[in-house]
Amino acid sequence: MMTFLRDTRTVFSREFAPARRDPTGLLFEMGQPLLFLFLFGSLLDGAVGSSWQWFVPGILVMMCLTGPMGAGYTLLVELIGGSMERLLVTPLNRTAMLVGRTLKDMLVLLTQTVLIILLALPLGFQLYPVGILLAVAQLVVFGVGLGALSFVLAIKSAPGGTLFYIVSQSILFPLLLLSGVLLPLDTAPGWLRVAGQVNPVTYIVDAQRALFAGDLVNPSVLYGTAAACGVAALGLYLGNRAMRRGV
């Protein structure tokens, strides 16, 4: 266990070093979420009740999708460049390689989440501390699963990388649009509502909105937590297996 923790810390430090040296990249990644927050959120003011309590959780789920799902890109670059092969011949634990990379992405996600919440406060967003802590924990669990699945996709896409871009871009926007992140699906055609019900992100979005509103006993919290844990379990299983088999 001590060896595993040491290797995880080593991989985390290696992955986080570029972001620590040049944090402007993290702010650049927030350009689109901030644009949606200030412009699209203002358009929804009054259309969905308390628009900021409804919209901010959706923005955070959007960040959770676009960030960890793209985390495999850095791994893909290392696979193509050959640096990952040199890392694999070291005595580092393969599972620690996966966990260390995932923890780096989660720290970035947490930092961006705090910033979004702080920026939303002057707009009328209300704080419910317990609900926010539970919501962030749920996002982290969900993000861990997405990041691990992204690593699996990167490994399967090497050395060309085409598969990674096709799959990640093909599923990202349908997952977003069919989860009600930007617009409610209540008035959507029946086939769209059915598609939304089989989308696991839908349940996480509903749970996030309930938690950020302070409604801790809402049934959607249970469904969203189950969906997040399911994605995390699947991602960690497949990611760990892919890392152990090597690249």
Side-chain angles (χ1 to χ4, degrees), residues 19-234:
R20 185 176 63 248
R21 289 194 296 263
D22 185 18
T24 56
L26 302 180
L27 296 177
F28 180 78
E29 292 178 6
M30 295 189 62
Q32 187 180 55
L34 289 176
L35 185 66
F36 275 101
L37 178 68
F38 289 112
L39 298 184
F40 203 90
S42 299
L43 292 175
L44 290 175
D45 193 17
V48 289
S50 179
S51 61
W52 298 113
Q53 299 299 130
W54 187 90
F55 194 63
V56 169
I59 290 294
L60 297 181
V61 174
M62 177 190 294
M63 291 170 53
C64 191
L65 280 170
T66 56
M69 280 193 68
Y73 173 75
T74 57
L75 177 60
L76 181 60
V77 170
E78 293 184 3
L79 290 171
I80 296 175
S83 60
M84 188 62 186
E85 293 182 1
R86 294 191 292 271
L87 189 63
L88 288 173
V89 299
T90 66
L92 285 172
N93 183 282
R94 296 293 178 87
T95 304
M97 292 183 187
L98 173 67
V99 175
R101 286 176 175 270
T102 306
L103 286 178
K104 174 260 182 179
D105 294 314
M106 290 306 97
L107 180 59
V108 171
L109 177 63
L110 285 173
T111 303
Q112 294 174 335
T113 297
V114 172
L115 182 57
I116 286 289
I117 292 175
L118 292 177
L119 291 175
L121 287 176
L123 302 175
F125 181 75
Q126 297 182 359
L127 286 177
Y128 295 92
V130 177
I132 289 177
L133 289 176
L134 294 176
V136 170
Q138 187 183 88
L139 275 182
V140 169
V141 172
F142 182 49
V144 165
L146 288 178
L149 289 173
S150 180
F151 295 145
V152 174
L153 181 59
I155 293 173
K156 298 297 183 182
S157 301
T162 303
L163 179 65
F164 180 84
Y165 302 110
I166 293 176
V167 174
S168 60
Q169 294 302 315
S170 298
I171 66 174
L172 176 60
F173 288 104
L175 286 175
L176 282 174
L177 296 176
L178 293 176
S179 64
V181 164
L182 300 177
L183 292 171
L185 295 178
D186 298 338
T187 58
W191 66 273
L192 274 179
R193 293 198 299 271
V194 171
Q197 291 175 357
V198 298
N199 179 8
V201 184
T202 301
Y203 301 98
I204 295 171
V205 171
D206 292 341
Q208 288 289 302
R209 285 173 176 152
L211 289 171
F212 271 91
D215 189 1
L216 307 183
V217 297
N218 193 300
S220 63
V221 175
L222 178 61
Y223 300 143
T225 301
C229 291
V231 171
L234 178 63

